[in-house]
């Protein structure tokens, strides 16, 4: 990974995490299981979506590798639903947010 790409990658993850925390405190949507933090949007799905899309946009992988990256990321996101830590709506919101951030970071910086 080149230096510039590494900075965009870490900067994108950090920016995503900060944006999610801000949105959670604005939206204040509770998690399916009561907890100390809010659930909308899902931090895990935002970060996983960012990582997946960033990798796919910045590197040339074999088709099989792309499918594996996507599948593993979706399993990690699904576990949050399975454990009832997030609703589907919260996970989808995080997915969309992560995809948008990865696209902006890749294309604009």
């Amino acid at each position: 990974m080149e230096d510039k790409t590494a900075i965009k990658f870490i900067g994108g993850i950090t920016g995503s995490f900060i944006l999610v925390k801000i949105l959670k405190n604005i939206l204040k949507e509770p998690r399916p299981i009561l907890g100390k933090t809010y659930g909308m949007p899902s931090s895990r799905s935002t970060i996983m979506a960012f990582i997946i899309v960033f990798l796919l946009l910045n590197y040339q992988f074999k088709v099989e590798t792309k499918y594996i990256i996507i599948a593993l990321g979706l399993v990690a996101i699904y576990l949050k639903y399975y454990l009832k830590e997030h609703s589907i709506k919260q996970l989808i919101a995080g997915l969309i947010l992560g995809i948008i951030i990865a696209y902006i970071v890749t294309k604009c910086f």
Side-chain angles (χ1 to χ4, degrees):
M1 184 180 290
E2 296 178 9
D3 291 350
K4 182 178 178 182
T5 306
I7 292 168
K8 289 189 329 185
F9 183 69
I10 298 301
I13 289 173
T14 304
S16 297
F17 189 74
I18 291 168
L19 181 58
V20 165
K21 293 302 177 189
I22 291 168
L23 289 172
K24 283 184 183 209
N25 286 316
I26 291 170
L27 299 173
K28 297 184 179 183
E29 184 174 304
R31 295 172 179 267
I33 293 178
L34 291 178
K36 295 179 181 178
T37 60
Y38 298 111
M40 175 65 98
S42 164
S43 301
R44 164 94 46 102
S45 65
T46 302
I47 300 303
M48 289 304 298
F50 174 84
I51 291 169
I52 293 165
V53 174
F54 186 89
L55 289 174
L56 296 178
L57 290 175
N58 286 281
Y59 296 98
Q60 300 297 318
F61 296 111
K62 293 183 215 175
V63 174
E64 297 84 9
T65 305
K66 289 179 183 181
Y67 288 138
I68 291 169
I69 290 169
I70 292 167
L72 291 174
L74 292 176
V75 166
I77 292 167
Y78 173 76
L79 286 174
K80 288 299 213 175
Y81 175 74
Y82 179 78
L83 296 172
K84 297 183 177 29
E85 293 179 17
H86 284 291
S87 67
I88 291 292
K89 180 173 77 169
Q90 294 166 347
L91 293 171
I92 291 172
L95 266 169
I96 292 168
L97 184 61
I99 291 167
I100 291 168
I101 294 169
Y103 186 81
I104 290 170
V105 167
T106 299
K107 301 296 181 185
C108 297
F109 294 99

